[in-house]
Amino acid sequence: MNLIRLLKYKSGSFFVMIALLGIVNSLVYGSIMVFINNVIAGVGLPFIAAPQSWIYAGLLVVSFLLNKTFQTYIARLTNSIVFEYESGVIDKLRVSTFESFEKLGAQRVYTAIQDTRLLAQVPSNFVNAVNSVVIILCGLSYMFWLSWKAGAMILCFMGLLLAFYLLRNNSIEKQLNEVRDLQNDYHRYLRDFLNGFREIKMSLNRNNSIYDRYIKRTLQGSKELNDRTAVRYLVNELTGNYSWYIVLGLILFVMPQVLSIPTARVTAFVFTILYIMGPLATLISSVPFFTRLKIAVERIDGLEKEIDTYPQYNLEEQSIELSRDFTDLEFSNAVYEYKDAAGKKLFAAGPFNISIKKGEIIFVTGGNGSGKSTFINLLTGIYMPTQGSLRYNGEALVMNSYPHYSDRLSSIFTGVYLFNENYDGFDLDENNPVLQKYLAMMELQDVVRFDAQKKSIDNKLSMGQRKRLALIYALMENRDVMVLDEWAAEQDPHFRAYFYEQIIPVLKQMNKTVIAVTHDDKYYGQADRILHFDFGKVAKDVKLQHAKQPELVK
Ligand SMILES: Nc1ncnc2c1ncn2[C@@H]1O[C@H](COP(=O)(O)OP(=O)(O)OP(=O)(O)O)[C@@H](O)[C@H]1O
């Protein structure tokens, strides 16, 4: 979608406004040209008897007011487009499936959001461009009125110039697209560089490689492309500017001879060319902006269309009633298949036929790549089975039930992410006794810092401490089922033992259903049941009879 179609699409009155601006400005700019030429030549207006100075002043006022109205209109329009795009993309993403987000990649979303910012510069550029076009058209019409032959000559010359521009601009546009691709790659490497800074410090080879072969190479590539496009634009601009001196030369030296044009007319031609040279320069210099804008609009549009092709949940509709009181969860022939972009199967987990009952403490074990995380993604509703189904409290889940199903579980994933704001609206007041109890339970009471203003807790903690805080938040959610993916991996030996020997039994006493991925075989005895994974399947499903019931953590 190009800019004009986008503006038209977002505002039904766009063409009416453009037409109004064009007509009134044509009258104003055309009249000003005629006025000046008439005043220089000492003649009156052709059709009106009113004093010229009054009409001149009146035209200026009308033009000023109209331009102000139009600029305000277009500024509001583009601002609302920026708002709609940004909020629209985020709104669509939040109702998309997790797989869609994985396919799309966070980088593309960041780039598209940055692209929308370019739209904010549309108002001044667009109005200047419209006014420039109007002045050029008025100038051309005036020249035709003075002498149609001379007007036609100049028009042909301008046509040639335009063709030259469009041709060159096409190839520049291709180069700009290449620059954008390189920039996307560059941001990916930069993200790796910043997020993996510690790892980069640990290997000279990696350090040199990421810089020389990836970051510098893409930066160098886009610098060279930028250099080439800058030179091309420069040549375009210079050719454009100097061509007008050729036109002036034609008018001064060729036209009087060839077309026998009198000196007074020559003066009018020279004046008109000088009058439209400024607007032409404005138009030419705005070409790079509009080219970049076109690419940005196409990319934003492409992203939005791509998101639209992905399945989306209707968060309002809860297809089946999902009670907060959990009784059981059943996997029936549930399979999840990873496929590549061409649809080729990469890995399949399942089919799973598992029944999970309220109050069970289940440990999920297995080697690397055995499918534990894939199972956890299915269990938490992050993934929907590609075959088979899940039944919650006996009801088979359908597409729109998934967001509500996930909402019934508390989950802590391996690379837990703690938010900077208290989006959940937890009562994080320092004096909240429940919070204090949990902080003591997680041995965090002397570690956390409260932010009374934001009603949140500072998340600058070690990974192990972050996971403990995440467990506190999970408890505050007060849901029946808790899913913990390698929760204890980052805990020190003392807290790891404490987790399995104290916290797990407490959760059991609270009647929580816990499904925890673990490699800590020393503590397998704390579970009621062990699901052992191998090659994407449940190789063993063992029920244990000896879960301890120690004293509750006070
Ligand atoms: N997004 C993905 N696209 C394609 N294949 C994937 C994807 N995620 C995981 N896999 C594949 O699925 C298989 C199971 O991975 P999964 O992460 O479920 O194993 P895991 O048991 O959790 O391993 P680990 O203990 O190492 O975390 C692996 O072979 C992995 O390569």
Side-chain angles (χ1 to χ4, degrees):
M1 189 181 281
N2 64 29
L3 179 67
I4 302 289
R5 273 174 52 208
L6 176 70
L7 294 171
K8 163 81 186 80
Y9 174 67
K10 299 286 177 185
S11 164
S13 52
F14 177 70
F15 281 137
V16 176
M17 290 296 279
I18 280 275
L20 200 68
L21 181 84
I23 292 165
V24 177
N25 273 350
S26 308
L27 277 173
V28 174
Y29 298 135
S31 311
I32 290 173
M33 216 158 29
V34 175
F35 268 121
I36 296 174
N37 273 324
N38 284 359
V39 171
I40 291 171
V43 289
L45 281 177
F47 311 112
I48 309 166
Q52 294 199 38
S53 53
W54 281 97
I55 299 173
Y56 183 78
L59 282 172
L60 286 187
V61 171
V62 172
S63 169
F64 176 84
L65 291 178
L66 186 82
N67 275 301
K68 181 180 163 275
T69 310
F70 189 76
Q71 293 232 21
T72 313
Y73 159 77
I74 200 134
R76 289 204 175 126
L77 185 59
T78 43
N79 284 340
S80 68
I81 290 174
V82 172
F83 169 78
E84 275 174 40
Y85 259 135
E86 284 201 32
S87 58
V89 163
I90 296 168
D91 197 27
K92 281 181 183 168
L93 267 181
R94 79 189 185 93
V95 297
S96 296
T97 60
F98 189 75
E99 289 106 314
S100 315
F101 176 72
E102 281 187 321
K103 271 188 217 150
L104 209 62
Q107 191 49 53
R108 277 192 61 204
V109 181
Y110 273 122
T111 317
I113 299 270
Q114 274 169 5
D115 278 347
T116 56
R117 299 295 151 94
L118 207 58
L119 281 164
Q121 296 169 31
V122 165
S124 55
N125 281 290
F126 190 74
V127 174
N128 284 342
V130 170
N131 284 343
S132 300
V133 169
V134 168
I135 294 175
I136 294 163
L137 288 178
C138 288
L140 276 173
S141 316
Y142 185 56
M143 285 191 281
F144 264 89
W145 186 63
L146 290 171
S147 155
W148 71 267
K149 282 185 194 161
M153 249 175 85
I154 291 165
L155 186 65
C156 286
F157 186 81
M158 281 181 76
L160 283 175
L161 206 63
L162 189 70
F164 168 81
Y165 257 83
L166 292 180
L167 269 177
R168 285 182 65 91
N169 203 55
N170 253 344
S171 61
I172 294 177
E173 205 178 301
K174 276 191 204 120
Q175 280 183 351
L176 282 178
N177 255 319
E178 284 172 42
V179 173
R180 291 305 308 270
D181 288 337
L182 279 175
Q183 274 170 357
N184 269 346
D185 289 345
Y186 165 66
H187 281 124
R188 233 181 39 240
Y189 306 144
L190 185 65
R191 202 166 277 258
D192 274 346
F193 178 76
L194 297 174
N195 292 345
F197 196 70
R198 197 176 11 202
E199 283 74 8
I200 280 166
K201 287 273 163 218
M202 295 309 296
S203 158
L204 279 174
N205 177 37
R206 195 180 299 136
N207 192 331
N208 291 334
S209 167
I210 193 168
Y211 181 66
D212 291 326
R213 289 175 42 207
Y214 294 87
I215 293 182
K216 208 164 134 196
R217 187 178 55 79
T218 38
L219 273 180
Q220 186 76 28
S222 55
K223 177 191 162 292
E224 280 162 16
L225 276 171
N226 275 330
D227 280 353
R228 268 186 273 158
T229 43
V231 171
R232 281 172 163 235
Y233 273 133
L234 203 78
V235 171
N236 269 11
E237 253 184 83
L238 283 174
T239 318
N241 290 342
Y242 278 87
S243 312
W244 289 102
Y245 290 106
I246 299 174
V247 176
L248 279 178
L250 279 177
I251 295 170
L252 286 173
F253 307 113
V254 181
M255 272 178 11
Q257 321 288 329
V258 179
L259 302 175
S260 323
I261 294 180
T263 319
R265 283 270 155 101
V266 170
T267 317
F269 267 110
V270 171
F271 162 75
T272 312
I273 290 293
L274 291 175
Y275 189 70
I276 65 175
M277 264 174 80
L280 257 165
T282 307
L283 213 55
I284 291 167
S285 59
S286 63
V287 169
F289 170 76
F290 283 108
T291 310
R292 268 188 300 141
L293 187 71
K294 180 171 175 273
I295 294 171
V297 168
E298 278 168 4
R299 289 200 178 223
I300 303 165
D301 213 40
L303 180 89
E304 221 189 6
K305 287 209 177 92
E306 189 174 330
I307 297 177
D308 283 340
T309 64
Y310 293 142
Q312 295 187 343
Y313 299 113
N314 180 355
L315 296 187
E316 310 303 320
E317 186 199 332
Q318 184 166 0
S319 315
I320 48 169
E321 195 53 44
L322 296 174
S323 161
R324 293 206 168 266
D325 295 323
F326 170 73
T327 58
D328 70 299
L329 178 71
E330 185 106 25
F331 282 68
S332 56
N333 285 319
V335 175
Y336 188 82
E337 280 182 358
Y338 291 106
K339 291 185 180 154
D340 65 11
K344 192 172 147 260
K345 192 168 101 180
L346 296 172
F347 181 85
F352 299 119
N353 286 294
I354 305 166
S355 173
I356 297 171
K357 299 269 181 275
K358 185 177 173 85
E360 274 189 301
I361 305 288
I362 301 176
F363 285 179
V364 174
T365 67
N368 292 136
S370 57
K372 303 181 298 294
S373 297
T374 311
F375 170 72
I376 291 295
N377 280 343
L378 276 176
L379 172 74
T380 50
I382 288 287
Y383 287 167
M384 279 186 289
T386 45
Q387 290 163 43
S389 62
L390 263 69
R391 302 177 85 84
Y392 177 89
N393 290 353
E395 298 277 0
L397 297 179
V398 291
M399 167 108 184
N400 282 334
S401 312
Y402 269 87
H404 304 279
Y405 164 67
S406 299
D407 197 51
R408 296 286 175 266
L409 322 173
S410 287
S411 312
I412 303 178
F413 297 99
T414 336
V416 62
Y417 184 83
L418 289 184
F419 292 104
N420 291 308
E421 301 285 332
N422 180 5
Y423 299 117
D424 296 271
F426 294 130
D427 180 0
L428 298 182
D429 192 295
E430 205 170 346
N431 301 316
N432 175 2
V434 178
L435 177 62
Q436 282 302 339
K437 183 182 84 177
Y438 288 147
L439 283 171
M441 179 176 169
M442 296 297 160
E443 298 180 2
L444 281 179
Q445 69 274 44
D446 300 325
V447 180
V448 293
R449 286 185 306 271
F450 288 89
D451 184 331
Q453 210 184 0
K454 277 167 69 183
K455 294 204 183 327
S456 67
I457 292 177
D458 191 3
N459 58 15
K460 283 179 202 67
L461 299 166
S462 75
M463 190 51 161
Q465 289 168 338
R466 258 185 276 163
K467 284 199 161 175
R468 288 192 230 165
L469 189 55
L471 193 49
I472 294 180
Y473 292 151
L475 286 166
M476 290 179 90
E477 281 184 322
N478 201 16
R479 295 175 183 172
D480 283 354
V481 185
M482 297 183 86
V483 181
L484 310 172
D485 195 353
E486 301 200 34
W487 187 89
E490 289 86 3
Q491 305 302 332
D492 58 43
H494 149 72
F495 206 88
R496 188 173 303 179
Y498 176 71
F499 170 71
Y500 288 107
E501 290 169 355
Q502 300 284 318
I503 297 176
I504 289 281
V506 168
L507 297 178
K508 171 105 183 140
Q509 274 196 324
M510 288 167 85
N511 216 4
K512 299 275 185 198
T513 308
V514 179
I515 301 106
V517 176
T518 171
H519 290 291
D520 298 319
D521 46 4
K522 197 170 146 192
Y523 302 104
Y524 283 179
Q526 296 304 116
D528 296 332
R529 184 177 169 193
I530 298 195
L531 290 177
H532 184 75
F533 279 68
D534 208 3
F535 295 109
K537 296 195 167 36
V538 178
K540 281 184 216 153
D541 184 348
V542 185
K543 292 210 164 71
L544 308 174
Q545 302 297 329
H546 50 80
K548 289 184 194 165
Q549 298 285 313
E551 255 186 63
L552 258 175
V553 177
K554 301 278 183 318

